[in-house]
Amino acid sequence: MAKNAFYAQSGGVTSVINASACGVIETARANAGKIGTVYAGRNGIIGALTEDLIDTSKESDADIAALRHTPSGAFGSCRYKMKSLEDNRREYERLIEVFKAHDIGYFFYNGGGDSADTCHKVSQISESLSFPIQAIHVPKTVDNDLPITDNCPGFGSVAKYIAVSTREASFDVNSMALTSTKVFVLEVMGRHAGWIAAAGGLAADADNDIPVIIIFPEVPFEQEKFLAAVKAKVDSHGYCTVVVSEGAHWQDGTFLADQGTRDAFGHAQLGGAAPVVANMVKDAHGYKFHWAVADYLQRAARHLASKTDVDQAYALGKAGVEMALAGENAIMPTVVRTSDDPYTWEIGKAPLADVANVEKMMPKEFISEDGFGITEACRKYLLPLIGGEDYPPYKDGMPVFVTLKNVAVDKKLPEFKM
Amino acid sequence: MAKNAFYAQSGGVTSVINASACGVIETARANAGKIGTVYAGRNGIIGALTEDLIDTSKESDADIAALRHTPSGAFGSCRYKMKSLEDNRREYERLIEVFKAHDIGYFFYNGGGDSADTCHKVSQISESLSFPIQAIHVPKTVDNDLPITDNCPGFGSVAKYIAVSTREASFDVNSMALTSTKVFVLEVMGRHAGWIAAAGGLAADADNDIPVIIIFPEVPFEQEKFLAAVKAKVDSHGYCTVVVSEGAHWQDGTFLADQGTRDAFGHAQLGGAAPVVANMVKDAHGYKFHWAVADYLQRAARHLASKTDVDQAYALGKAGVEMALAGENAIMPTVVRTSDDPYTWEIGKAPLADVANVEKMMPKEFISEDGFGITEACRKYLLPLIGGEDYPPYKDGMPVFVTLKNVAVDKKLPEFKM
């Protein structure tokens, strides 16, 4: 009898994580003899701990196919970081009990660095508990900070959204700068790595002379230097667009905007760097300003997804199942870039031991010498990732997203207090 | 000899104002024997006052056609309100001098309420100065607050952007609400009228049970009632999406967020209602929150334009020229709705005397009884305006917008000090 599979979404959702889910489930369905039912965790790994499983076999083929163009996490995701084996062995043992109760032999965990770590530990403990689970991590994170893989699904679409929005808003500001706004500040996501902020640099190119200044989290903020750069752009172009990362910080590490709150992983919850920067410019130069904070709009913007990103998200989900069926364990399928232009890629794989808890920062050579822009090397890396459009279907002017039935599987175990 | 035309863009630009410019210029070109060169004002009416005219005949047909999918104001716009005839007759006389020097017999002014007023006055004074100008106002404003016309070009596309973004972000929040953000606040434009905020209500429909609370500028803010409404939504759905208008205000008229600055028209420059509302919810209920401020992203978002909006923007520009050639004066072409479902419309016209300085508010029957939602009547009005997609062309993952050459016309008059 073929073993069942468990699939869960972890951490911040994206506009294409459901495309990976689609890849996992469709590929499992295509291999019905070799793999049983795909159970999904309701609200991510919490669903596994509480034995709150969703039976994806109750969903129609059409609804599963529609996941490919539906943003968010269709089964629910969560911010819940499992502690180390030493500190909370109980939770890992519970996972194995649940997997055993439902005859689950495959664990597909779709997330970022923290979930790669969890995935790795599940694989390790399952062996020591004599119920071996093949644990496959399917990469996902708009932060693009996982190592080894060329990029992370979710990032390309956010990058496209930020690049396009920065170009559009810059056209807007340029046309009114004489009497109105001269400096527009757009705050984007990216706590530690400036990948998303870098995408703002794509707004300008050989055909679009747009003055963009980027404030990266990799470059400690120097106020005087920044203000001089803004003035130079306004002098030369009449206006300036500033793209500031939420993770932008001062020399001493203090974020330009720190709301003082922490999420479940202990990360600072940020927001509000844009008004800080905008007011700073106003105070120094008197320029009229506007600012925007894209926040969730950027990572949920399925209406402007990158086709490359959607294709890769799906392919990585599919590859995860294929690798599991080929007997792989404790690995993450990756995107391997084989050419920049034309962009070509293939699927590779990385051992989870090499992925877990490693954060990929922007290479130094991707940031221009003045610290406020991207280099040609960065452009060459980024541009293929936003390539192609993949529009969702529309009805009456609105995108049609699927909401699954998410039927619960009967519980077989006693309740578990988290 | 056919008279030349003058075209200018006024006030805040939109993602489709250039589609109106395209309609004006293409229609003038198609009537080459009857109408001469279309001169555009560089930076709007300031270009006319300073005799800084752009010769649009220097632009290729392909570039003029590309205006249809290019956001922003291709010739520059401005926030410059001409005073009354009594207070500043000199400026009106200067306009007529410039028009006379360049043999301009047609004035197409593309803007909102203030520019309708200016357009009307130009028509009046030109007659008294014995150099009759046919003054046609082409409507444009994302605020949708011009009277008589069914809607205003620019609004439909902003409405689509806000409706789609609200749906996308709501899917995102819904999938993580158990352990993360429970309340998402999106701030949208609309100083006095809640048309744009109302569009957030379209995120929910029969197929999408999304808990949206709208804070309209038409409804004085009642904190306790609002906080209770948020709690009810979180209790029933696990999360809540709040769409707040930048013009939201307390009973005494104070805006929820007033930056204390004024624009050239004396309007308060707003921004920052979202964090105020989000923190209010956090303080009262302890819910984790996120907030976004769409600002210029919403009005520049040509990538998500409504096809209906683009078609109407073009048609109104075209109609403006046709009406001028038919001898009309001091009028504004309008959209006349002839059916809701299926949506059908035709071009009508309104005398400028009836348009100038009249602000169209949301009808009371468009706001639900509790003050936080839209009614079926409102939905019936809004839905056709966001109908259809009209994607710009893309190259290497980025939208291709046109930047015109904007060749200056030789000056014939002495300098004019503004």
Side-chain angles (χ1 to χ4, degrees):
Chain A
M1 181 69 188
K3 289 270 187 191
N4 297 318
F6 176 76
Y7 167 82
Q9 302 177 319
S10 175
V13 296
T14 77
S15 66
V16 304
I17 185 173
N18 285 333
S20 289
C22 180
V24 166
I25 297 169
E26 288 192 343
T27 308
R29 288 187 178 190
N31 289 277
K34 295 179 244 169
I35 189 168
T37 302
V38 177
Y39 297 125
R42 194 185 306 273
N43 300 309
I45 201 71
I46 290 176
L49 290 166
T50 58
E51 204 194 356
D52 193 354
L53 308 182
I54 290 164
D55 185 349
T56 69
S57 74
K58 305 291 189 194
E59 310 293 343
S60 69
D61 284 349
D63 279 357
I64 293 300
L67 287 177
R68 188 168 173 136
H69 62 251
T70 298
S72 84
F75 309 106
S77 182
C78 67
R79 294 206 179 275
Y80 183 77
K81 184 175 182 168
M82 287 177 66
K83 296 200 186 104
S84 69
L85 272 170
E86 299 69 40
D87 288 345
N88 203 348
R89 191 177 176 86
R90 184 178 156 265
E91 285 193 348
Y92 291 91
E93 289 177 351
R94 166 70 175 187
L95 279 187
I96 304 303
E97 278 168 30
V98 171
F99 290 169
K100 203 184 261 184
H102 295 274
D103 199 23
I104 288 164
Y106 307 100
F107 174 38
F108 300 105
Y109 204 21
N110 201 171
D114 290 325
S115 62
D117 180 54
T118 300
C119 198
H120 190 212
K121 284 176 185 143
V122 165
S123 164
Q124 290 173 316
I125 196 171
S126 73
E127 287 187 35
S128 75
L129 291 174
S130 306
F131 186 78
I133 293 281
Q134 284 171 254
I136 312 282
H137 186 252
V138 180
K140 168 247 59 164
T141 169
V142 296
D143 291 332
N144 201 37
D145 58 2
L146 290 172
I148 306 171
T149 185
D150 176 60
N151 70 88
C152 304
F155 170 67
S157 295
V158 173
K160 188 181 185 86
Y161 178 88
I162 295 302
V164 171
S165 297
T166 302
R167 178 174 291 181
E168 289 176 334
S170 297
F171 264 69
D172 182 308
V173 174
N174 183 32
S175 60
M176 301 194 61
L178 182 69
T179 57
S180 183
T181 301
K182 285 191 169 49
V183 176
F184 174 68
V185 183
L186 172 61
E187 176 171 337
V188 305
M189 286 178 156
R191 265 191 193 78
H192 306 302
W195 293 109
I196 295 177
L202 298 178
D205 61 19
D207 297 323
N208 296 275
D209 180 22
I210 295 174
V212 177
I213 289 177
I214 302 169
I215 307 180
F216 291 102
E218 284 85 353
V219 183
F221 185 68
E222 294 179 68
Q223 182 162 347
E224 292 311 314
K225 195 175 155 197
F226 166 71
L227 289 170
V230 169
K231 183 165 189 311
K233 295 284 193 199
V234 173
D235 286 348
S236 63
H237 289 74
Y239 77 105
C240 176
T241 301
V242 179
V243 177
V244 58
S245 165
E246 63 177 343
H249 57 81
W250 300 91
Q251 289 281 357
D252 71 358
T254 313
F255 290 112
L256 266 62
D258 189 337
Q259 292 184 305
T261 55
R262 307 269 164 220
D263 71 11
F265 293 152
H267 305 144
Q269 190 183 15
L270 306 176
V276 170
V277 168
N279 280 287
M280 189 186 292
V281 170
K282 165 89 175 180
D283 290 346
H285 301 311
Y287 301 143
K288 190 161 181 271
F289 64 85
H290 261 248
W291 53 268
V293 177
D295 196 64
Y296 287 162
L297 303 194
Q298 68 200 290
R299 76 178 196 193
R302 184 59 183 82
H303 72 269
L304 189 58
S306 148
K307 183 175 187 308
T308 301
D309 193 30
V310 175
D311 288 347
Q312 292 182 341
Y314 184 91
L316 288 163
K318 180 170 185 273
V321 174
E322 288 169 348
M323 288 176 184
L325 290 175
E328 297 279 4
N329 186 13
I331 55 144
M332 176 178 89
T334 59
V335 173
V336 179
R337 182 182 299 224
T338 46
S339 160
D340 276 324
D341 189 13
Y343 181 56
T344 55
W345 55 278
E346 57 191 34
I347 295 291
K349 62 187 177 190
L352 286 185
D354 297 346
V355 175
N357 297 316
V358 179
E359 204 169 28
K360 180 172 75 176
M361 305 305 280
M362 289 257 294
K364 272 216 166 5
E365 63 270 24
F366 277 17
I367 298 177
S368 62
E369 236 171 273
D370 68 1
F372 295 128
I374 60 172
T375 60
E376 274 310 302
C378 184
R379 178 177 295 274
K380 197 185 270 190
Y381 168 75
L382 288 176
L383 214 46
L385 308 185
I386 69 167
E389 292 69 54
D390 188 280
Y391 299 119
Y394 278 76
K395 190 189 152 202
D396 295 337
M398 291 291 287
V400 181
F401 301 140
V402 69
T403 299
L404 299 179
K405 295 194 289 283
N406 284 351
V407 177
V409 177
D410 287 341
K411 296 188 182 191
K412 302 181 175 183
L413 298 172
E415 198 182 339
F416 180 80
K417 291 268 182 241
M418 287 181 61
Chain B
M1 182 68 189
K3 290 269 186 191
N4 297 318
F6 175 76
Y7 168 82
Q9 302 177 320
S10 175
V13 296
T14 78
S15 66
V16 304
I17 184 173
N18 285 333
S20 290
C22 180
V24 166
I25 297 169
E26 288 191 343
T27 309
R29 288 186 178 190
N31 289 277
K34 294 179 246 169
I35 190 168
T37 302
V38 177
Y39 297 125
R42 193 185 307 275
N43 300 309
I45 201 71
I46 291 176
L49 290 166
T50 59
E51 204 194 355
D52 193 356
L53 308 182
I54 290 164
D55 185 349
T56 69
S57 74
K58 306 291 188 193
E59 311 293 342
S60 69
D61 284 349
D63 280 357
I64 294 299
L67 287 177
R68 189 170 173 134
H69 62 251
T70 298
S72 83
F75 309 106
S77 182
C78 67
R79 293 206 179 275
Y80 183 76
K81 185 176 181 168
M82 286 176 67
K83 295 200 185 102
S84 68
L85 272 171
E86 299 70 42
D87 288 346
N88 202 348
R89 190 175 176 87
R90 183 177 154 265
E91 285 192 349
Y92 291 90
E93 289 176 353
R94 166 69 175 187
L95 280 187
I96 304 302
E97 278 168 31
V98 171
F99 291 169
K100 203 183 263 186
H102 294 275
D103 199 23
I104 289 163
Y106 308 99
F107 174 39
F108 300 104
Y109 204 22
N110 201 171
D114 289 326
S115 62
D117 180 54
T118 300
C119 198
H120 190 210
K121 284 177 185 140
V122 166
S123 164
Q124 290 173 315
I125 195 171
S126 73
E127 287 188 35
S128 75
L129 291 175
S130 305
F131 187 78
I133 294 281
Q134 283 171 252
I136 311 282
H137 186 252
V138 180
K140 167 246 61 166
T141 170
V142 297
D143 291 332
N144 201 37
D145 58 1
L146 291 173
I148 306 172
T149 185
D150 176 61
N151 70 89
C152 304
F155 169 68
S157 295
V158 174
K160 189 181 185 89
Y161 178 89
I162 295 302
V164 171
S165 297
T166 302
R167 178 174 290 181
E168 288 176 334
S170 297
F171 264 70
D172 182 306
V173 174
N174 183 33
S175 61
M176 301 194 61
L178 183 68
T179 58
S180 183
T181 300
K182 283 189 171 48
V183 176
F184 174 67
V185 183
L186 172 61
E187 177 171 335
V188 304
M189 286 178 158
R191 267 190 192 79
H192 306 302
W195 293 109
I196 295 177
L202 299 178
D205 61 18
D207 297 324
N208 297 274
D209 181 20
I210 295 174
V212 177
I213 289 178
I214 303 169
I215 306 180
F216 291 102
E218 283 85 352
V219 183
F221 186 68
E222 293 179 69
Q223 183 163 346
E224 292 311 313
K225 196 177 155 196
F226 166 72
L227 290 170
V230 169
K231 183 166 189 311
K233 296 285 193 199
V234 173
D235 286 348
S236 62
H237 290 74
Y239 76 105
C240 175
T241 301
V242 178
V243 177
V244 58
S245 165
E246 63 177 342
H249 58 81
W250 301 89
Q251 289 281 356
D252 70 356
T254 314
F255 290 113
L256 266 63
D258 189 337
Q259 291 184 306
T261 54
R262 306 271 166 222
D263 70 12
F265 294 151
H267 304 144
Q269 192 183 12
L270 306 176
V276 170
V277 168
N279 279 288
M280 190 186 292
V281 169
K282 166 91 177 179
D283 290 346
H285 302 311
Y287 300 143
K288 190 160 180 270
F289 64 85
H290 261 247
W291 54 267
V293 177
D295 197 65
Y296 287 163
L297 303 193
Q298 68 201 290
R299 76 177 196 194
R302 185 59 184 81
H303 72 270
L304 190 58
S306 148
K307 182 173 189 308
T308 301
D309 193 29
V310 175
D311 288 348
Q312 292 181 342
Y314 183 90
L316 288 163
K318 180 170 185 273
V321 174
E322 288 170 346
M323 287 176 185
L325 291 175
E328 297 279 5
N329 186 14
I331 57 146
M332 175 178 90
T334 60
V335 173
V336 178
R337 182 182 298 222
T338 46
S339 160
D340 277 324
D341 189 15
Y343 180 56
T344 55
W345 54 277
E346 57 191 35
I347 296 291
K349 63 188 176 192
L352 287 184
D354 297 347
V355 174
N357 297 315
V358 179
E359 205 169 28
K360 180 172 75 179
M361 305 304 281
M362 290 257 293
K364 272 216 166 359
E365 64 268 25
F366 277 18
I367 299 178
S368 61
E369 237 172 90
D370 68 1
F372 295 128
I374 59 173
T375 60
E376 274 309 302
C378 184
R379 177 177 296 275
K380 198 185 267 187
Y381 168 74
L382 289 175
L383 214 46
L385 308 185
I386 68 167
E389 293 68 55
D390 189 279
Y391 300 119
Y394 278 75
K395 190 188 151 200
D396 295 336
M398 290 291 287
V400 181
F401 300 140
V402 69
T403 298
L404 298 180
K405 295 194 290 282
N406 284 351
V407 177
V409 176
D410 287 340
K411 295 190 183 191
K412 301 181 177 184
L413 297 173
E415 199 181 338
F416 179 80
K417 291 269 182 242
M418 286 181 62

